[in-house]
Amino acid sequence: MTPDTAVVIPAKDEGARIGPTVVAALALPGVDLVVVVDDGSRDDTGRVARAAGARVVRHSRNRGKSAAMETGAEAVRLLDTAAPRHLLFLDADLGASAATAAALVEPVRAGVADMATAVFVNRVKLGGLGMVVGLSREGVKRATGFEAAQPLNGQRCLTRDAFEAARPLAHGWGVETAMLIDLLRKGFRVVEVEVEMAHRATGTDWKAQLHRARQLRDVARALLARESLMRGAASK
């Protein structure tokens, strides 16, 4: 198969799991490039990713998920030599289950979707109460009518045109919600695809609760920004 897809993996302190994730991503059909964005890690994430075959770009300090996605996509653009590659974004902690991401690339490669997002078939029980997911799901539905099963799922493949249309990306953990809304409202075709992936479950300790609070904040900000834009457009 002619290579047409690059994988971008934002990663922070994932030295224990990034290696198998990169190896599985490099084995995906049509993938000839994996870019890992080491987002201010304090461990050996970058070294392990490079040893596994990835191109590594490092942020000297943690800048957040959306910034890492932007950096990774720009690195791919600079390395594109012919037609722009499709962009497949994966989480760093997928391990060997990243091999099932081929199902996300297929509808984009076939031209039937501009973005394909993952729905995990094997759901791990998370420590949260679903508040952030519910907020995102209702926000996407209110803005577009689209009922997303897992709107916060970070595994997604999209064309370069779709990615550029979604820029500038929303801050931090609001990026997935904002991307869905922005692309759907601009007429891009979005599909959800079931995949048998698995990543590390979020716990219930104070660090996990802080993470959820940040997610809630970023998703709420992304939704408020888009609702303001829609109200402004409606008033003209």
Side-chain angles (χ1 to χ4, degrees), residues 87-167:
L87 298 170
L88 174 60
F89 292 95
L90 297 177
D91 289 345
D93 61 353
L94 293 172
S97 73
T100 65
L104 296 174
V105 183
E106 289 167 3
V108 176
R109 179 177 290 140
V112 300
D114 302 299
M115 180 170 75
T117 65
V119 174
F120 286 0
V121 177
N122 302 316
R123 301 287 302 277
V124 294
K125 183 175 177 55
L126 304 179
L129 301 177
M131 182 183 300
V132 186
V133 174
L135 176 65
S136 175
R137 184 180 290 129
E138 287 304 312
V140 172
K141 182 178 179 181
R142 186 168 58 250
T144 68
F146 185 81
E147 297 190 29
Q150 294 179 18
L152 298 181
N153 200 309
Q155 324 328 304
R156 51 191 58 204
C157 182
L158 64 166
T159 64
R160 170 60 71 168
D161 284 345
F163 180 80
E164 294 299 329
R167 297 180 68 190

Side-chain angles (χ1 to χ4, degrees), residues 11-20 38 41-49 92 200:
K12 181 179 184 296
D13 297 331
E14 292 288 356
R17 296 177 66 92
I18 189 65
D38 182 356
S41 296
R42 297 182 179 180
D43 67 359
D44 59 352
T45 292
R47 181 186 63 78
V48 174
R200 183 176 54 252

